[in-house]
Amino acid sequence: QKTTPKYQRTALDTFNDLNDSDKDDILEGQRYIQKEFYSFIIMLKAQYHLILQSIVKSGLNMKILIQGYDYAIPCIDARFSTRYPPQYVINKLIDTGKWLARPMAIKGITDAEIQRKIVKCMIFEFNEMLKEIADKFSNVYHIDCRGVAAGPQDWFDELHLTPDAFEKIAQVYSMVIDGKITGEKSIKV
């Protein structure tokens, strides 16, 4: 079921970190996203705000890092890697690692490209919400992981990166904590 788009192409043109392909994917994906998703994002934003505000009020003076996801790739089949065979076995045994493609297929969205575009739009929205939150607090930083995965080999399952891919993110965490990155509220990995 398609809905009224939140963004028009001109609005996405203001995002300098998106290429034309990203913009097209987000515009197509948002056509399938229901208003309940946007309500969920608003609720998450309020929860983040309340939690961070309580930390600030407590007087703790520390850097707080919040992290979004990379643009995940929905996949019905479990991914196998010779580098991480136990994870494949665990995912098969407990039937986990299938959070994206399966629910969309149940809703009748079976086209893999449409699924990918829907997830891309959702992850875009989530990361943009995190960026807004980081901007409201002087000690909060958004770690932007979009684009970390070079391909399917960098994914543990539908949603989680492999340790090798996550090492790139960990390096950015260290740089922010150590003060090697300053002045940026949203840090692209």
Side-chain angles (χ1 to χ4, degrees), residues 3 18 34 47 62 67 86 97 104 115 125 148 151 182:
T3 61
L18 294 176
Q34 303 293 304
Q47 290 176 334
M62 64 180 163
Q67 174 195 322
M104 285 190 277
Q115 289 181 349
E125 294 286 1
V148 169
T182 58

Side-chain angles (χ1 to χ4, degrees), residues 81-84 148-150 153-156 160-171 189:
S81 169
T82 55
R83 296 194 68 184
Y84 314 106
V148 169
Q153 74 280 359
D154 289 329
W155 293 96
F156 231 0
H160 300 98
L161 296 168
T162 62
D164 289 342
F166 212 91
E167 189 173 322
K168 299 173 196 173
I169 299 166
Q171 290 171 357
V189 177

